[in-house]
Amino acid sequence: MIERVNRLVAEDKGGWHYHTVTLDEIVVESGALSRVPAYIQNHGYNRVIIVADDNTARAAGNELVELLVEAGVANKQVMVKPNAIGDVVADEQTIIQVMLEIDHETTDLIVAAGSGTIHDVVRFIAYKMNKPFLSVPTAPSVDGFNSKGAPLIIRGDKITIAASSPVAIFADLDILTKAPAALVAAGFGDMLGKYTSLFDWNFGRIAAGEPHSRLAESITKDALEQCVRQAESIARRDAEGIRSLMNSLIESGLAMLILGVSHPASGAEHHLSHYWEMEYLRLGRKQLLHGAKVGVACTIISELYHRLADEGWLGQALESDPADHEAFQAIHEHREEIEAAIRAIPAPDQLKQLLRTVGGFTEPLQLGVDSELLSRSLRGAHHIRPNRFTLLRAYNKSMQPSKVMV
Ligand SMILES: [Zn+2]
């Protein structure tokens, strides 16, 4: 996977200053965990910290401790404590708690054994302590395992902070196939969101001249299609299905890694999901799985975009801010191309069917998002990433709203 992406990057003449993928290894196979000690020894790491929570220690952390002891590698498992409402969250309390248990002088490598949240905590700490980190995912739940950005909650606000990507990923199918069904459905939801994020990225290129890469687009699109083709076996959580889901998530992550930005994998559906997350943080409500929100948000954005195309909105829309004049001109000029791209996004019913297949949520109310929050988020989600020109942003910044009720 690494060689293929780096070869594509080397061959691409798209004019983008790509980053090469510097991971040593990406292993997605049955028994991958048992290969970790040899990797650690071959790279000369002698003293290892494993970061896990109660669930992920049972899934992988404890076994890794045993494997390392057998191999004679000094190690310690640091347990991330849940917060007052029982959530394991990537916030300043967790970061300090874990950092205090890692001795700078006697640590060569930090292993993230767990979910996306554990990875975000570890990637930030590893970056700040200038230590390499190794990824051992315990569920195929998110496309951020190999990301360089850590979304962290600081003083109640979610912000993405620059951090490190892992030196290697060891994703053990024996562990991943036993992951809770909700986490698998969330990973599938995060992938499904690429239908609208890829559209929005292309829309931003057309309307606002946002930098775009055909290579990153095709890597992400291939990953998405591979994952959708395997929906049935992902639902059964068999090894083949989980392998394709995990590979898709990692490939989507690699597309972001070579670009240095998240554009291919994050459009209006992610902005909507972030809006809900911020609201939940403000209200102190229990957090929902990232991919569960993204999957539902993708169906809502698909519905809005399809209606805008059906009502001919792209041909009539006028800017409310003079700064957007050129963008709206470009939208009129490229109306047919944009409408064709919208029609290529699966309709909301098709997306819901796919989500249902893997046992995921399909409706905002299942997430606790009521109609008031839904319509407020649709009007305000574009403020989450003010530098992205999504169709949702264009719609919210137009003077001529369609008849669409949001
Ligand atoms: Zn995501």
Side-chain angles (χ1 to χ4, degrees):
M1 196 188 289
I2 300 168
E3 292 77 23
R4 187 174 64 87
V5 170
N6 280 339
R7 196 185 61 243
L8 291 169
V9 163
E11 287 167 3
D12 190 75
K13 302 279 183 284
W16 194 292
H17 294 289
Y18 294 107
H19 305 268
T20 41
V21 179
T22 54
L23 278 84
D24 299 320
E25 269 185 81
I26 296 175
V27 181
V28 182
E29 63 184 34
S30 166
L33 194 68
S34 62
R35 290 179 53 183
V36 173
Y39 171 87
I40 286 177
Q41 287 172 317
N42 291 341
H43 286 78
Y45 304 124
N46 296 312
R47 297 157 304 178
V48 174
I49 293 286
I50 301 159
V51 179
D53 62 30
D54 275 348
N55 293 324
T56 67
R58 273 195 299 275
N62 297 341
E63 194 184 340
L64 185 56
V65 168
E66 279 174 33
L67 289 167
L68 290 176
V69 169
E70 271 170 39
V73 177
N75 71 87
K76 177 176 100 168
Q77 185 163 220
V78 172
M79 303 299 293
V80 177
K81 298 188 178 81
N83 66 9
I85 51 171
D87 276 345
V88 169
V89 289
D91 65 2
E92 57 271 70
Q93 285 190 335
T94 302
I95 290 164
I96 295 297
Q97 180 237 311
V98 175
M99 257 181 149
L100 287 174
E101 293 184 59
I102 302 176
D103 180 54
H104 191 275
E105 299 306 315
T106 59
T107 301
D108 298 329
L109 174 80
I110 310 175
V111 179
S115 62
T117 303
I118 299 280
H119 277 70
D120 292 333
V121 170
V122 170
R123 96 175 67 252
F124 175 76
I125 291 175
Y127 180 71
K128 285 292 177 194
M129 296 183 82
N130 202 19
K131 303 287 177 195
F133 102 84
L134 183 96
S135 160
V136 176
T138 50
S141 56
V142 75
D143 70 357
F145 292 114
N146 45 343
S147 159
K148 264 192 173 167
L152 301 175
I153 301 162
I154 304 296
R155 290 195 183 273
D157 252 349
K158 184 127 184 180
I159 44 174
T160 300
I161 300 174
S164 357
S165 60
V167 288
I169 301 176
F170 287 86
D172 192 330
L173 292 175
D174 301 336
I175 295 168
L176 300 176
T177 49
K178 291 191 204 100
L183 289 169
V184 175
F188 187 82
D190 202 18
M191 277 316 295
L192 216 57
K194 312 311 172 213
Y195 278 122
T196 44
S197 63
L198 285 171
F199 165 82
D200 266 333
W201 192 25
N202 226 340
F203 178 80
R205 172 185 67 81
I206 295 168
E210 280 182 7
H212 191 269
S213 147
R214 291 282 173 214
L215 172 61
E217 178 183 50
S218 83
I219 293 173
T220 311
K221 198 162 172 247
D222 290 350
L224 166 60
E225 284 167 0
Q226 168 192 200
C227 176
V228 167
R229 269 197 306 275
Q230 295 286 340
E232 301 279 348
S233 58
I234 292 169
R236 287 194 299 273
R237 285 189 281 161
D238 63 29
E240 242 359 87
I242 296 301
R243 184 201 302 275
S244 353
L245 176 57
M246 195 66 207
N247 278 330
S248 297
L249 292 166
I250 293 174
E251 281 164 22
S252 168
L254 289 180
M256 291 189 268
L257 208 55
I258 60 167
L259 289 178
V261 295
S262 65
H263 293 39
S266 168
E269 77 299 321
H270 269 72
H271 306 158
L272 209 54
S273 152
H274 285 287
Y275 192 102
W276 300 341
E277 188 169 358
M278 303 283 243
E279 175 87 356
Y280 276 41
L281 281 171
R282 266 194 294 275
L283 299 174
R285 286 170 71 173
K286 221 171 153 62
Q287 281 301 318
L288 299 159
L289 291 166
H290 168 77
K293 287 178 290 203
V294 169
V296 172
C298 178
T299 71
I300 290 160
I301 295 298
S302 160
E303 185 173 1
L304 171 66
Y305 288 5
H306 276 274
R307 283 204 223 160
L308 293 179
D310 293 346
E311 292 177 357
W313 178 86
L314 293 135
Q316 316 150 13
L318 293 173
E319 69 279 5
S320 59
D321 178 347
D324 293 329
H325 181 66
E326 273 180 42
F328 277 75
Q329 268 194 325
I331 295 171
H332 295 169
E333 225 167 276
H334 297 274
R335 172 186 170 175
E336 283 179 16
E337 183 188 350
I338 299 169
E339 285 180 351
I342 291 175
R343 296 207 164 93
I345 302 172
D349 284 349
Q350 286 170 277
L351 294 171
K352 286 181 190 178
Q353 190 49 48
L354 284 165
L355 286 168
R356 235 175 263 127
T357 302
V358 300
F361 291 145
T362 56
E363 306 300 328
L365 271 179
Q366 293 172 307
L367 302 169
V369 173
D370 62 18
S371 57
E372 185 277 326
L373 174 57
L374 177 60
S375 57
R376 181 154 47 88
S377 60
L378 275 164
R379 287 193 305 272
H382 62 288
H383 295 302
I384 300 270
R385 291 280 179 275
N387 56 344
R388 294 290 314 278
F389 206 91
T390 61
L391 177 52
L392 180 62
R393 179 186 184 82
Y395 175 61
N396 280 328
K397 293 196 77 191
S398 72
M399 294 202 301
Q400 200 174 344
S402 83
K403 291 164 236 117
V404 179
M405 290 300 293
V406 295

